[in-house]
Amino acid sequence: MADRPPPRATYRLQFGPDRDFARAAELAPYLARLGVSHLYASPYLKARPGSTHGYDIVDHRALNPELGDEAAFRAFARALRAHGIGQILDFVPNHMGVGGADNAAWLDVLEWGEDSPFAGWFDIDWDPDRRYLAGKVLAPLLGDQYGVVLDSGELTLRLDAAGGSFAVWAYGTHKLPVRPLDYGRILGDRDPVLEQLGDAFAGLGSWRALAYRRAGELKAELARHIAANEEVRAAIAAALARLNGTPGDPDSWRGLHALIQDQHWRVAHFRVAADDINYRRFFNINELAGLRMELPELFDHAHGLVLALIADGTLEGLRIDHVDGLLDPRAYLDRLRTRAARPIYLVVEKILARHEALREDWPVEGTTGYEFAKLALGLLIDPAGEAPLSRLYAEFTGITQPFAEIVRDAKLRIMEHEMASELTVLARDAGRIARQNPRTADFTRNVFQRALKATIACFPVYRTYVDGGTPSEADRRDIDWAIAQARRLDPDLDPSVFDMLHRMLTTDLVAEPRSGYSRHDVVRFAMRVQQYSGPVMAKGLEDTAFYRWNRFVALNEVGGHPDEFGLPPHAFHRASLQRLRRWPQAMLATSTHDTKRGEDTRARLAVLSEMPEEWARQVQAWSRILRARRGDVEGTDPPDRNDEYLFYQLLVGSWPPELTGESVPDTTSLAPYATRIEGAMLKSLREAKLRTTWAAPDTGYEQAVLDFVRQALDPERSATFLGAFLPFQERIARLGVRNSLVQTALKLTVPGVPDLYQGAELWDFSLVDPDNRRPVDFALRARLLDDVTGALSRSREAALRAMLAAWQDGRIKLALVATVLRLRAAHPGLFAEGSYDPLAIEGEEADRVCAFLRRLDDAALLVAVERFALRSEAGPAPAAISAPALDGDWHDLLTGRRITVQGGTLAAGTLFTALPVALLVPAAMASAPR
C-alpha cells in the first residue's frame, strides 16, 4: 500500500437479483456525494445460477452473467471511476460451488475421476476407509434414499446431443456425467454406427495418457452423427428409454443402477455426507467444495481475472473470504502480493479469539473488522447490568450452564454429526503415521479419534498456523492449552495418546532427523487438522452456541464473546492504539452480510443493560399475557422459555422505526415485519439444534413457535400484549438512537478504514441472514441526503435537533455519516496517519464519557461521546475532559457551535446538549478553505 493512498471509507454493496452491474453503476453519484472512496463489492464472479450471495463461484475466470456482460461491467467500473470511487472485491479462494450443472472443473472430475486434469484442484480422498467410495467422489445430492429416488424416476439418463455425451440427472438439476468408457453400454449394438462408436469408447483405456483427448474426438463424432442421422437419434432414444425404466417398477431400473454403480461418483442422500463425505467442504455445506489453492497452477487459474483487473486499475483492493480455510494462509497471501501487478488494499476475513492477535507476518492491511464491532458495542453496555440480567436469564429459562461449556458441547455435536466424516479421516491419518514407527504402532484410529475430538472441542482459537517450520509461541500456547483441557475432558483415555497428538500437531515429532516418521505426512496432518478446527469452531460457536445461549443476544455476534459484558474506555483506547501501531488501515465494521443482527439492533439492545430490573418486569408481564391468551397458565407449552426469551429480545431490538411511537399498528402494517421475525425465529431454532434442526425438522415444535409469534404480532388477537409492549419499546428505541450515533461516530473517527454496509447510513435494524440482504431503497437515501445537506447548510444545530426529534426517518444518522465522511475527504492524512491520544475524564460519572484526540500537524479532531443512554435522561454527564495544551477556540462540526477550552479542561455538559456526540476541530481548521 506504500505506493497508493488507503481507502478513506468503503461502502459494502451486495450484488444479486435486485442489484446488477447496471443498477450498481447508477449508485456512483450518490456514493460520491455521501463521501466514500471505495465501493466494496460482494463476489461478482460466475456463481451458480440464482445465487443470492455470490459465494458459490463456479468459474473464477468469468463474471457472473446474471449481473451483466463484460460491457455492463466495464460501464459500471467507468461510472465509479468517473466519480472518483475505487473498487474492492470480496474474493473467494477457499471453495467453489458444486452440484447443479455449471462447474466445468467439478463435472470433469465426476466424469474422469482421478484421471481428470482437475482432480488435484479439490481436496478429495480417493482412498477412503469406506471402500465403496474407493476411486469415487460422494455426491450427496438426494433428498431421500438412493433406491427410493431411483425407483421414482428422479434419476434419469440423458443425452447432450450437441456435446455427444451422456449424464445422469438428479431431479433434472444436478448433472452427473457418465464415464466415456461406459458409453458403449448405452449405445448398444442395434445401430451399426453406434455399435462402432461404442466399441471405440470402450477401448479408451488403451489410449492411456491420450484417452482424455481421444474421448473428446469421439464425442464430437457422436454429436455429428446425432445431428445428421434420424436413425441414430431414434436408436439412442430407445436405448435411454430402456435404461431409464418405469417409475414404480424397481426391476426396470436395474440397467441404470448397474451403470451408476460403475461411475466415478456415488450419488446418495444428503445425510450420508456427515459420515462418508470424502471431499473437503466449506464448513458442512455439501454444495461448496474446498480448493487446494496452495497449488501454483490452480492459484494462477483462479486468480487470472482478478489479477488482470488489478493490473488495469479496475480493482484497488481485495477482501479474502474465509482465509482460515486455506492450507497455508500466509503463503497464499505472500503469493497474492507477489503476483499483483500493483499495490492493493488487502484485508482478510479472520475471526480473532479474545487473546489472539492477527499474525504479524501476514502481508495485509488487517482484518475485515469484526473485532471493532465487538469493541464499539462493548463500550455501550453497562457492566452493572450483567449480574441482574444473568439472574433473570437463569430464572426465566432455567439455563445455568456456563457459556464455555455450551460452546464445547456444541463443537462436540458438530464433530459427532455434521462433520464426523472429516474427523474419521484425520484419525485414520494419525493412525497411519503412528504405524510408521514400532514405538507408536499400537495407537489405534479409535483412540486418535477420541483424542482429536476432545482436543478440537477445547481449542481456544479457530485454528493455528503450523506450516512445517518452527511453530510460533502463539501456536504452541494454544495447542498446549487445548491438549491440557482435552486430557480433563476425556480422563479415561491413555495420556500417551495426547502426548503423541501434541507432537504431531506441533510437528515436534519430525523436528529432528531420523525420527522414524514421514515429515511430509506429519506436516500435512497438522495442517489438515488446522483446516478442520476452524469450521468446527465456526459451526459450534457462531452457528450453534450463539443460538443456544440467549442471555443477552446483542453480544451473540460474529467476532464477539457473549460472556464478555461491557468494555471500559481504557480498554477501548488500548485496542485503538494497538490498531494504530500495527494495523492502521484495518477495516472497521459494525454491520456486515454475516452479522447476526444489524448494528442499530445491537445498539438498541445495549440499553437493556442499564435497566435490567425494568426489563425483567416487562418480560414476565409479556409472558403472562401471551401464555394466558393461549391457555398455558403453567408456561410449559412451546416455545420453550429460552426461545421465548429470544423472541422478546428480537422484538425490542428490531421493531421498525416507522411503527414506533404510534398506536397499535394494524395487521397490514405489521405483516411484513411479522414475516421477518418468523424467518429469524425459525432459523434460530434450527441453528440451535436442540428442538429441531435443518436436517431433521421437528415441524410440530416449529409450527407451535410460529403460531406463538403470529399471535403476538396479530393486533386483533394480541391488543393487550402490544399495548403493554409498545410504550416500553418506544422508550428503548429512543434511547437506542443515542447509542447508534455514538457507535457510528466511533467507527468513523478511530484509526482504521470505516466500512458502511449497504443501506446502513440510515437505520439498520436487520435480523440474521437473509434478512440483512433485503433490497435497499437507494432513491430514498439520495433524497434524504439532499434534505440533510440543505438543512445543515441553513442552521446546523436547529436541523440536528429537529432530526433527532424525528429520528424514525434516519436523517440524524445520515447527517452524522455525511459530516464525518466530508471531513475525512478534506483531511485524509489526519485519519490515515494522525495520532490517537486518549483523553482523561475527571469528576463525577466520569465513566459516562469517552474522548480522544486525532492530530496530524495543524489538523486535529477531538472526539467525545456520551455512554449509557438511560442516564442521559437526567441530563449530560457532569464530568470534565482533561485537555491540557488544547486551550483555545474549537468548532463543533455537528452543531456548528464555537467552544472554548480554558484551563486545560472541557466540561462534558457543554458538549452533549444536543447530541451524545461531539466532533471538535480547531477554529482555524474549520474556517480554512477545503
Side-chain angles (χ1 to χ4, degrees):
M1 288 290 296
D3 297 336
R4 59 172 303 281
R8 295 193 315 271
T10 61
Y11 193 96
R12 170 71 180 209
L13 186 68
Q14 296 293 120
F15 284 89
D18 68 306
R19 186 64 54 186
D20 58 14
F21 293 135
R23 296 190 67 187
E26 296 171 356
L27 300 181
Y30 166 70
L31 296 178
R33 287 193 298 119
L34 184 63
V36 300
S37 63
H38 286 74
L39 183 142
Y40 164 29
S42 69
Y44 52 56
L45 304 184
K46 186 178 180 181
R48 290 187 62 181
S51 175
T52 59
H53 48 74
Y55 288 92
D56 45 359
I57 291 171
V58 297
D59 187 352
H60 286 89
R61 298 174 68 92
L63 298 168
N64 190 340
E66 295 183 353
L67 302 179
D69 57 15
E70 174 76 14
F73 174 75
R74 291 298 175 183
F76 157 67
R78 285 195 301 272
L80 293 181
R81 203 157 39 238
H83 288 85
I85 298 174
Q87 192 180 152
I88 297 168
L89 176 64
D90 191 343
F91 185 72
V92 187
N94 175 70
H95 53 266
M96 294 184 79
V98 297
D102 308 284
N103 188 326
W106 183 255
L107 293 174
D108 198 84
V109 172
L110 296 181
E111 181 176 1
W112 290 93
E114 293 178 85
D115 293 329
S116 168
F118 307 108
W121 287 15
F122 301 95
D123 260 331
I124 300 171
D125 182 3
W126 295 102
D127 185 28
D129 281 354
R130 305 289 199 268
R131 299 317 299 165
Y132 80 97
L133 284 173
K136 296 177 181 287
V137 179
L138 185 70
L141 305 169
L142 306 181
D144 206 336
Q145 294 289 329
Y146 161 72
V148 174
V149 177
L150 179 68
D151 186 43
S152 69
E154 291 178 299
L155 285 171
T156 55
L157 181 65
R158 296 183 184 180
L159 166 71
D160 175 2
S165 62
F166 294 95
V168 174
W169 286 76
Y171 307 113
T173 300
H174 301 289
K175 182 179 181 181
L176 298 162
V178 172
R179 297 189 313 166
L181 278 167
D182 292 324
Y183 280 17
R185 297 164 62 177
I186 302 170
L187 297 174
D189 57 5
R190 300 189 183 190
D191 181 278
V193 172
L194 296 181
E195 179 183 19
Q196 184 177 353
L197 273 173
D199 184 63
F201 276 112
L204 282 172
S206 64
W207 288 75
R208 300 186 183 278
L210 298 178
Y212 191 82
R213 188 190 72 186
R214 177 58 177 158
E217 295 169 350
L218 292 174
K219 288 179 183 179
E221 184 178 350
L222 176 59
R224 288 193 295 270
H225 284 295
I226 292 170
N229 192 322
E230 175 61 32
E231 292 181 356
V232 166
R233 293 195 293 273
I236 292 176
L240 293 177
R242 287 192 301 273
L243 285 167
N244 279 328
T246 303
D249 179 3
D251 288 341
S252 67
W253 295 97
R254 291 184 184 277
L256 182 57
H257 171 65
L259 180 68
I260 288 174
Q261 292 299 102
D262 291 337
Q263 300 312 303
H264 292 299
W265 41 265
R266 198 282 195 183
V267 67
H269 192 291
F270 72 88
R271 291 180 183 167
V272 174
D275 292 324
D276 289 0
I277 196 77
N278 65 332
Y279 61 88
R280 184 172 65 86
R281 302 168 290 175
F282 172 71
F283 296 172
N284 62 339
I285 302 174
N286 299 334
E287 294 79 15
L288 297 176
L291 291 170
R292 298 181 62 198
M293 200 53 71
E294 66 272 16
L295 302 177
E297 60 272 25
L298 175 55
F299 180 96
D300 291 343
H301 176 91
H303 293 75
L305 177 57
V306 295
L307 289 174
L309 294 176
I310 290 170
D312 69 16
T314 300
L315 287 180
E316 296 184 359
L318 292 175
R319 178 254 200 197
I320 303 303
D321 178 70
H322 190 47
V323 72
D324 273 351
L326 300 172
L327 185 71
D328 189 344
R330 184 183 64 178
Y332 167 82
L333 295 167
D334 284 338
R335 180 174 289 153
L336 182 58
R337 282 289 193 200
T338 300
R339 293 299 312 280
R342 59 180 68 196
I344 60 170
Y345 179 72
L346 185 60
V347 290
V348 292
E349 184 201 23
K350 165 65 186 170
I351 299 173
L352 299 169
R354 68 187 79 207
H355 67 278
E356 186 181 15
L358 187 62
R359 297 298 164 120
E360 296 276 344
D361 56 355
W362 286 12
V364 297
E365 270 63 56
T367 72
T368 53
Y370 294 140
E371 62 273 16
F372 176 78
K374 177 196 70 172
L375 293 169
L377 178 66
L379 198 64
L380 302 174
I381 292 173
D382 188 346
E386 181 173 18
L389 285 175
S390 298
R391 186 165 54 251
L392 168 64
Y393 184 57
E395 292 173 353
F396 189 83
T397 69
I399 295 174
T400 58
Q401 186 180 20
F403 180 66
E405 290 184 11
I406 291 176
V407 173
R408 186 194 65 203
D409 290 349
K411 291 170 72 176
L412 287 170
R413 187 202 184 282
I414 294 299
M415 289 186 282
E416 291 166 357
H417 294 85
E418 290 93 328
M419 300 187 71
S421 179
E422 291 90 340
L423 182 65
T424 299
V425 170
L426 290 171
R428 178 204 67 187
D429 292 346
R432 288 176 176 175
I433 291 170
R435 288 191 294 275
Q436 292 175 3
N437 192 312
R439 285 178 289 183
T440 55
D442 289 343
F443 285 125
T444 65
R445 183 179 71 177
N446 180 58
V447 298
F448 274 126
Q449 186 146 346
R450 288 173 57 184
L452 276 165
K453 184 165 69 172
T455 301
I456 293 171
C458 296
F459 238 71
V461 292
Y462 278 68
R463 62 165 288 175
T464 51
Y465 299 94
V466 173
D467 59 6
T470 302
S472 68
E473 290 184 11
D475 287 338
R476 284 197 177 277
R477 174 198 63 204
D478 292 329
I479 294 171
D480 290 350
W481 167 268
I483 292 288
Q485 297 300 310
R487 292 180 193 273
R488 298 186 181 96
L489 183 61
D490 194 349
D492 296 331
L493 196 56
D494 185 344
S496 64
V497 71
F498 286 112
D499 296 336
M500 179 67 175
L501 182 58
H502 183 279
R503 298 178 68 200
M504 287 194 286
L505 294 179
T506 58
T507 67
D508 288 349
L509 192 64
V510 290
E512 300 295 333
R514 298 181 298 279
S515 66
Y517 302 94
S518 165
R519 177 176 176 78
H520 172 272
D521 291 351
V522 172
V523 172
R524 181 77 177 174
F525 169 78
M527 297 177 79
R528 293 303 297 270
V529 170
Q530 293 172 157
Q531 285 183 293
Y532 179 66
S533 67
V536 169
M537 176 72 93
K539 294 303 295 180
L541 174 66
E542 301 166 38
D543 293 344
T544 304
F546 277 5
Y547 294 95
R548 291 185 174 184
W549 203 60
N550 296 323
R551 181 186 69 162
F552 190 55
V553 298
L555 294 170
N556 296 16
E557 196 51 82
V558 179
H561 308 297
D563 52 351
E564 282 188 0
F565 204 95
L567 185 81
H570 69 81
F572 181 86
H573 291 316
R574 182 171 64 248
S576 298
L577 286 168
Q578 289 173 345
R579 189 183 321 111
L580 177 64
R581 283 194 293 267
R582 185 58 190 92
W583 310 105
Q585 306 308 329
M587 192 172 278
L588 307 174
T590 44
S591 285
T592 76
H593 63 286
D594 280 327
T595 43
K596 309 294 185 185
R597 280 159 277 277
E599 59 190 52
D600 299 308
T601 304
R602 299 193 308 274
R604 182 189 286 179
L605 285 171
V607 177
L608 300 180
S609 69
E610 299 184 64
M611 52 172 67
E613 290 81 10
E614 175 62 19
W615 167 244
R617 286 191 293 271
Q618 295 290 338
V619 166
Q620 298 286 4
W622 300 338
S623 182
R624 285 193 299 270
I625 293 170
L626 289 175
R627 289 188 178 273
R629 178 71 175 77
R630 299 166 64 87
D632 179 25
V633 179
E634 298 298 323
T636 56
D637 290 350
D640 69 26
R641 291 291 195 165
N642 196 34
D643 295 331
E644 183 185 359
Y645 193 62
L646 169 66
F647 172 60
Y648 297 138
Q649 291 182 76
L650 294 185
L651 277 189
V652 169
S654 66
W655 191 267
E658 63 272 16
L659 301 181
T660 300
E662 303 292 335
S663 58
V664 175
D666 58 42
T667 303
T668 301
S669 301
L670 200 50
Y673 176 65
T675 300
R676 292 173 52 209
I677 286 286
E678 288 176 28
M681 284 297 296
L682 182 59
K683 180 169 183 174
S684 299
L685 297 178
R686 291 182 176 179
E687 294 286 17
K689 306 172 188 68
L690 291 172
R691 301 295 299 268
T692 185
T693 68
W694 293 105
D698 181 340
T699 55
Y701 181 77
E702 291 178 356
Q703 191 58 50
V705 173
L706 294 181
D707 286 345
F708 183 91
V709 171
R710 288 166 187 153
Q711 176 181 307
L713 296 179
D714 182 347
E716 296 181 2
R717 292 190 290 169
S718 291
T720 303
F721 164 69
L722 291 172
F725 168 78
L726 289 173
F728 179 79
Q729 183 278 327
E730 192 278 333
R731 183 185 182 199
I732 299 300
R734 178 170 43 79
L735 293 171
V737 169
R738 300 180 68 87
N739 280 346
S740 290
L741 296 178
V742 169
Q743 178 176 248
T744 301
L746 293 172
K747 179 175 72 172
L748 294 171
T749 56
V750 299
V753 176
D755 173 58
L756 278 68
Y757 184 68
Q758 62 171 23
E761 61 271 37
L762 297 183
W763 301 125
D764 178 15
F765 292 106
S766 60
L767 298 162
V768 69
D769 169 75
D771 189 69
N772 59 6
R773 288 189 277 110
R774 287 171 293 139
V776 175
D777 188 343
F778 284 104
L780 170 65
R781 283 157 176 77
R783 290 196 303 272
L784 290 181
L785 182 58
D786 288 338
D787 293 346
V788 164
T789 303
L792 292 178
S793 68
R794 292 186 290 274
S795 174
R796 296 190 68 90
E797 184 166 5
L800 288 172
R801 289 182 181 276
M803 292 177 199
L804 187 60
W807 65 266
Q808 288 90 337
D809 61 17
R811 289 181 303 152
I812 184 66
K813 184 180 180 184
L814 181 61
L816 174 60
V817 169
T819 297
V820 184
L821 290 182
R822 192 171 296 117
L823 179 68
R824 292 183 73 97
H827 300 279
L830 175 62
F831 296 93
E833 306 169 37
S835 63
Y836 179 95
D837 301 312
L839 298 178
I841 311 300
E842 301 172 344
E844 190 177 351
E845 296 191 72
D847 64 335
R848 287 178 57 187
V849 179
C850 178
F852 55 87
L853 181 72
R854 304 296 309 275
R855 186 192 290 278
L856 180 68
D857 300 327
D858 294 332
L861 172 67
L862 192 157
V863 179
V865 297
E866 188 176 33
R867 306 168 68 207
F868 308 145
L870 179 63
R871 299 191 213 170
S872 69
E873 290 185 326
I881 300 171
S882 178
L886 296 182
D887 285 0
D889 292 333
W890 292 76
H891 174 81
D892 188 339
L893 288 173
L894 294 174
T895 64
R897 293 186 302 148
R898 174 161 293 201
I899 294 175
T900 300
V901 178
Q902 292 180 331
T905 62
L906 179 59
T910 65
L911 298 178
F912 305 129
T913 56
L915 298 173
V917 174
L919 305 174
L920 310 183
V921 298
M925 179 176 158
S927 60
R930 298 179 183 175

